[in-house]
Amino acid sequence: QVQIVESGGGLVQPGGSLRLSCAASGSIFSIYTMGWYRRAPGKQRELVATIARGGSTRYADSVKGRFTISRDNAKNTVYLQMNSLKPEDTAVYYCNANILDFERPSPRDYWGQGTQVTVSS
């Protein structure tokens, strides 16, 4: 069994900052790419940022220069530092991790339950 737990969402004013965390636990052999996705009301889920095990990153154009993704491989944790937040960043943010566990022969994607981020004055 693998569990993905997110934390750090909340309400923030435009221009403010939030830091999301996501920790994976359980029967994990190795974690490959980790990332953050979001779903705004009435829209499809979209990629926010991903980070490979070696540290290479990828960002959506809409968050470049404002958001920073990082990870701690020793803690099986990924972070998303969000600065200069805008109302259009309001969404449920989901953590994703591509994990090879001890119960399957190949890695699969695991998702967290989501954490709400609301940017409003």
Side-chain angles (χ1 to χ4, degrees), residues 32-35 49-59 69-71 73 78:
Y32 301 105
T33 299
M34 303 183 82
T50 62
I51 183 167
R53 183 171 181 81
S56 59
T57 59
R58 173 188 173 194
Y59 293 93
I69 190 170
S70 60
R71 65 189 284 173
N73 290 331
V78 63

Side-chain angles (χ1 to χ4, degrees), residues 30-120:
S30 186
I31 302 179
Y32 301 105
T33 299
M34 303 183 82
W36 292 93
Y37 292 74
R38 67 187 182 187
R39 177 179 284 144
K43 296 186 177 181
Q44 291 188 334
R45 185 170 61 191
E46 63 175 359
L47 179 147
V48 176
T50 62
I51 183 167
R53 183 171 181 81
S56 59
T57 59
R58 173 188 173 194
Y59 293 93
D61 287 343
S62 59
V63 307
K64 283 180 181 177
R66 300 187 298 122
F67 291 10
T68 302
I69 190 170
S70 60
R71 65 189 284 173
D72 184 332
N73 290 331
K75 296 181 179 180
N76 291 339
T77 299
V78 63
Y79 307 96
L80 185 69
Q81 178 66 43
M82 304 184 293
N83 299 328
S84 302
L85 282 160
K86 304 175 181 180
E88 50 263 44
D89 294 317
T90 295
V92 178
Y93 284 70
Y94 297 90
C95 175
N96 170 270
N98 187 250
I99 296 174
L100 178 63
D101 60 44
F102 289 103
E103 300 177 8
R104 295 175 177 81
S106 58
R108 58 156 284 191
D109 282 339
Y110 288 87
W111 293 89
Q113 78 286 355
T115 185
Q116 177 70 45
V117 172
T118 302
V119 184
S120 175

Side-chain angles (χ1 to χ4, degrees), residues 18-30:
L18 280 176
R19 188 192 195 209
L20 305 183
S21 300
C22 168
S25 62
S27 57
I28 296 170
F29 181 77
S30 186

